[in-house]
Amino acid sequence: MKTHDERGGVGAKPAIVVALVLALVVVGGYAGAYAVAADKLPRDTVVSGIDVGGKSPADARAALVDGLGERATSPITVSLGDRTEEIDPAAAGLTIDYDASLAQVDADRSLSPGRIWDYFAGGEDHDAVVAIDDAKLDAALSDLAAGLGEDPVDARVVFSDGDASVEPGKPGRGLNPDETRKALADALLSGDDVDLKITELEPEITDAEAQKAADDFAKPALSGPVQLRFGKAKVRLAPADYADALSLEPEDGVLVPAVDRKVLIPLVEDATAGDGAPVDATVRLVNGKPKVIKAKPGISFDPADVTAAFLDVVTRPAGERQVEVEGTVEQPEFTTADARALGIKERVSRQVTHYPHADYRNTNIGRAAELIDGTLLKPGETFSLNDTVGERTAENGFTEGYIISDGILVKDLGGGVSQMATTLFNGMFFAGLKDIEHKPHSFYIDRYPVGREATVAWGSVDLRFQNDTEYGVLIHAKVIPSDYSRQGTVVVEMYSTKVWDIESRTSDRYAYVSPGTRTLDTANCEPNTGFSGFQVDVTRIFKRPGSSEVEKTEKFHTSYTPSDTVICKPPGSLPN
């Protein structure tokens, strides 16, 4: 005959527990049962082999630390192929989170019968929670697998030359991240060794995902130009302009559209004056031909607004690829239409002069050319060499050279600039512009066209001429420096719409005056072999382009003084 225990089997324990609860209710009432259970963990709770049942959370935590602490800090033995190494859990970012481990267990204080029942009859086995520092673990695994594999390469979308293409991904070989993390976490809790294997790793971004991103974003983005409108100012950007600003960046396993602000914003600033004053239109030489350089409105804007608006508009269909961008706009005074109306379209004169080698000439004439080059004369405007070049000082880029003073050569800053004045005078002469002020050298210099040359001196002698045509005039000036094997070359070209064909007629020289002789003992004396002075007349003849009929003439009379012979004596050697 079977006893009660024999017959009760597995069901005997709950029956006893029920009887006990009923007894407590009877003897001490429900409050007594609650007092026993309180906030303790269910009696049969086990965490990674550590019995924490019936304990308060604080006591349970202490039990876990005591039971798992040594295991949590012991090296984990890892085998990988023919290599065996030990991993320091702390260095690899593996720690036991005791609080999270106990949070798995319901330990809330409650008056509910179910909570009290769980205490007496409940409880489960739980694994402790292992916290993982991904950066530290990745570094440890990278060192472990060094030389045994290679990272997979995500498929990507490449933007270049106004087009986009998919660059396929490549599988790699290495440790499976999820499996490895789980194996090491389990080993931390169990103390067992770990056997890891190198496996094939698939890219996070597949070819199909990259192709979808290209179809959904890249192709629409490059389908045509976009227009950003800042009030009345418009900025048109072609795909070839902005393709390099676009990218599709991996983010949580997905390719996300992105814009490189460092590329996009300069495109907008190039089309405008950026965050500043407006820029007037002008005309410049480009590849040897005059070209209108468009005006740029001054626009103040927030780069973040531009980027957001651009991303919004760039995938829109044709006909809808325009967007308003918040900004403050200031329009230029001289517009692109004004510049085109100047009619600067052809070269109307070209003059070349040469000079013997001297470093000061290279410096001073070259600096003058640099300051004059690109000068734009609108109809009615007057050019002044002194105003354009400025005072010839060291701070302005000039050095000492020879000038003519009181009929003799002396050294001074800016010597040689008259070579530029002469070349420029001849450029305006054959362009048919109006002579306002010019002064020939006091004595003739044989490298200049006789009767058609000019000198300048800061504050006293200038070269000035007026654009008296209905078209604009663009002045181009350059210097090919001299050296010991060749002479220097000065070139002046003027561009406009041709109004005149100019011819020049030069008379014979007349009214010669013989040179004198000077003997000087000054410190700056320069010896010179003299020659005679004379007078000469140059006539400028104006004809309409393609016509032989003379419309008008203009006479230039020049009287050159003799260039005296200068004999230099030691300073202070001559009687007063």
Side-chain angles (χ1 to χ4, degrees), residues 332-508:
E333 292 184 4
F334 194 72
T335 67
T336 303
D338 294 333
R340 291 192 175 115
L342 292 176
I344 300 175
K345 60 184 182 181
E346 60 186 327
R347 189 172 70 192
V348 295
S349 74
R350 184 178 192 271
Q351 291 298 305
V352 177
T353 63
H354 303 283
Y355 61 87
H357 172 63
D359 288 337
Y360 80 85
R361 290 191 179 103
N362 288 335
T363 297
N364 293 337
I365 305 172
R367 176 60 175 153
E370 180 184 345
L371 294 168
I372 291 168
D373 186 45
T375 297
L376 181 63
L377 290 180
K378 298 170 185 174
E381 289 186 338
T382 296
F383 173 87
S384 162
L385 186 145
N386 280 340
D387 288 348
T388 302
V389 172
E391 186 174 0
R392 271 68 89 187
T393 63
E395 292 76 15
N396 194 19
F398 293 92
T399 189
E400 276 195 340
Y402 288 106
I403 66 169
I404 300 175
S405 178
D406 191 25
I408 61 175
L409 292 171
V410 298
K411 279 189 172 182
D412 197 5
L413 282 165
V417 171
S418 290
Q419 178 97 27
M420 175 57 69
T422 290
T423 315
L424 197 57
F425 174 80
N426 278 271
M428 86 84 198
F429 182 97
F430 286 98
L433 304 182
K434 183 178 181 180
D435 176 41
I436 300 296
E437 175 188 351
H438 88 280
K439 181 182 182 301
H441 288 82
S442 57
F443 58 74
Y444 176 58
I445 300 173
D446 61 6
R447 65 176 178 271
Y448 298 151
V450 63
R452 291 200 326 262
E453 43 92 5
T455 187
V456 288
W458 176 257
S460 58
V461 180
D462 199 1
L463 169 66
R464 295 192 302 134
F465 53 86
Q466 183 186 44
N467 174 16
D468 59 344
T469 75
E470 61 182 304
Y471 305 103
V473 175
L474 175 64
I475 302 174
H476 171 54
K478 72 175 182 178
V479 168
I480 301 172
S482 66
D483 58 31
Y484 290 102
S485 64
R486 69 178 184 188
Q487 60 185 350
T489 302
V490 183
V491 179
V492 169
E493 297 176 329
M494 296 193 177
Y495 293 82
S496 184
T497 289
K498 196 169 184 62
V499 175
W500 299 109
D501 278 339
I502 300 296
E503 295 178 5
S504 177
R505 183 171 62 238
T506 303
S507 73
D508 292 334

Side-chain angles (χ1 to χ4, degrees), residues 288-301:
K289 296 181 180 180
K291 179 181 179 180
V292 171
I293 306 302
K294 294 180 179 180
K296 296 181 178 181
I299 300 179
S300 298
F301 56 79

Side-chain angles (χ1 to χ4, degrees), residues 124-148:
E124 298 178 2
D125 284 350
H126 297 274
D127 288 329
V129 175
V130 177
I132 299 176
D133 184 321
D134 288 334
K136 289 184 177 180
L137 184 57
D138 287 343
L141 296 179
S142 178
D143 291 342
L144 182 65
L148 298 179

Side-chain angles (χ1 to χ4, degrees), residues 195-206:
D195 186 14
L196 299 178
K197 290 182 174 59
I198 295 294
T199 62
E200 185 173 281
L201 302 177
E202 290 298 322
E204 192 172 20
I205 307 294
T206 66

Side-chain angles (χ1 to χ4, degrees), residues 74-337:
S74 298
I76 302 172
T77 300
V78 176
S79 297
L80 182 60
D82 57 358
R83 293 167 50 185
T84 300
E85 296 189 19
E86 290 186 339
I87 292 180
D88 177 7
L94 299 168
T95 56
I96 295 178
D97 188 335
Y98 296 106
D99 294 328
S101 298
L102 292 174
Q104 303 174 101
V105 183
D106 180 14
D108 294 336
R109 178 182 288 270
S110 171
L111 290 173
S112 70
R115 169 68 184 89
I116 297 173
W117 176 264
D118 282 344
Y119 169 73
F120 288 104
E124 298 178 2
D125 284 350
H126 297 274
D127 288 329
V129 175
V130 177
I132 299 176
D133 184 321
D134 288 334
K136 289 184 177 180
L137 184 57
D138 287 343
L141 296 179
S142 178
D143 291 342
L144 182 65
L148 298 179
E150 57 183 346
D151 292 335
V153 177
D154 285 339
R156 65 192 188 114
V157 179
V158 178
F159 293 83
S160 179
D161 298 327
D163 197 6
S165 59
V166 173
E167 191 172 279
K170 296 179 182 178
R173 286 184 57 77
L175 297 172
N176 183 288
D178 294 336
E179 292 179 1
T180 303
R181 278 168 169 73
K182 184 178 185 309
L184 291 175
D186 291 345
L188 182 71
L189 298 176
S190 67
D192 295 336
D193 294 347
V194 180
D195 186 14
L196 299 178
K197 290 182 174 59
I198 295 294
T199 62
E200 185 173 281
L201 302 177
E202 290 298 322
E204 192 172 20
I205 307 294
T206 66
D207 294 356
E209 290 167 335
Q211 186 61 58
K212 185 177 187 304
D215 293 340
D216 293 347
F217 176 77
K219 291 182 179 179
L222 300 175
S223 62
V226 300
Q227 188 179 89
L228 307 178
R229 295 197 298 263
F230 301 84
K232 293 183 179 180
K234 300 176 182 178
V235 176
R236 184 181 183 276
L237 301 176
D241 299 326
Y242 62 72
D244 289 344
L246 295 175
S247 62
L248 283 159
E249 301 296 332
E251 187 176 302
D252 296 330
V254 178
L255 289 175
V256 177
V259 175
D260 187 339
R261 189 178 296 180
K262 293 180 180 179
V263 176
L264 178 64
I265 298 305
L267 294 177
V268 178
E269 292 176 338
D270 286 347
T272 68
D275 192 6
V279 176
D280 286 343
T282 189
V283 181
R284 294 179 191 155
L285 280 188
V286 178
N287 296 324
K289 296 181 180 180
K291 179 181 179 180
V292 171
I293 306 302
K294 294 180 179 180
K296 296 181 178 181
I299 300 179
S300 298
F301 56 79
D302 185 338
D305 291 341
V306 173
T307 303
F310 179 78
L311 264 180
D312 173 52
V313 73
V314 77
T315 54
R316 293 183 186 176
E320 300 178 20
R321 298 173 69 81
Q322 310 91 28
V323 65
E324 290 286 343
V325 185
E326 185 176 349
T328 302
V329 181
E330 184 179 354
Q331 295 292 348
E333 292 184 4
F334 194 72
T335 67
T336 303

